[in-house]
């Protein structure tokens, strides 16, 4: 019976080592942005700058609702994409 218990403990340890390794690999992959994610964040930031500029132009031309809305959306887009881009 003791050998049987030792064998079960060994198998459990081997399984847990594999699970821990897989979990670490998954966590590393999920927390580090890929090249595609970084490129998308840069594109989104560029679009945010465009919205920001459009909002400024709209506000200057007297279209306050559209201008202020574009300013807010542009700023939010820039902040969101930069936060995602700088994630490590």
């Amino acid at each position: 019976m003791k050998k049987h218990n030792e064998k079960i403990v060994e198998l459990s340890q081997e399984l847990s080592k594999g699970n821990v390794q897989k979990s670490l690999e998954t966590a590393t992959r999920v927390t580090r942005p890929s090249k595609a994610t970084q490129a998308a964040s840069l594109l989104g930031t560029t679009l945010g700058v465009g919205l920001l500029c459009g909002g400024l132009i709209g506000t200057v031309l007297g279209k306050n609702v559209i201008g202020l809305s574009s300013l807010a959306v542009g700023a939010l887009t820039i902040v969101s994409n930069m936060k995602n881009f700088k994630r490590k």
Side-chain angles (χ1 to χ4, degrees):
M1 188 68 165
K2 189 173 182 176
K3 286 185 179 183
H4 179 69
N5 287 343
E6 288 175 3
K7 187 175 182 180
I8 290 175
V9 168
E10 283 180 30
L11 288 173
S12 296
Q13 287 175 343
E14 288 176 20
L15 286 173
S16 65
K17 283 180 186 177
N19 286 338
V20 168
Q21 184 62 30
K22 286 179 185 177
S23 296
L24 286 173
E25 290 171 2
T26 302
T28 301
R29 186 182 57 220
V30 169
T31 56
R32 292 197 179 132
S34 66
K35 297 291 183 192
T37 304
Q38 290 177 347
S41 291
L42 284 175
L43 178 63
T45 302
T46 303
L47 292 174
V49 169
L51 284 168
L52 207 60
C53 292
L56 285 171
I57 292 170
T59 304
V60 169
L61 294 177
K63 311 261 189 217
N64 289 334
V65 174
I66 294 172
L68 293 175
S69 298
S70 292
L71 281 171
V73 171
L76 185 63
T77 303
I78 291 169
V79 168
S80 173
N81 282 298
M82 290 308 295
K83 185 175 179 181
N84 186 43
F85 183 74
K86 291 182 178 181
R87 181 179 58 154
K88 291 183 181 181

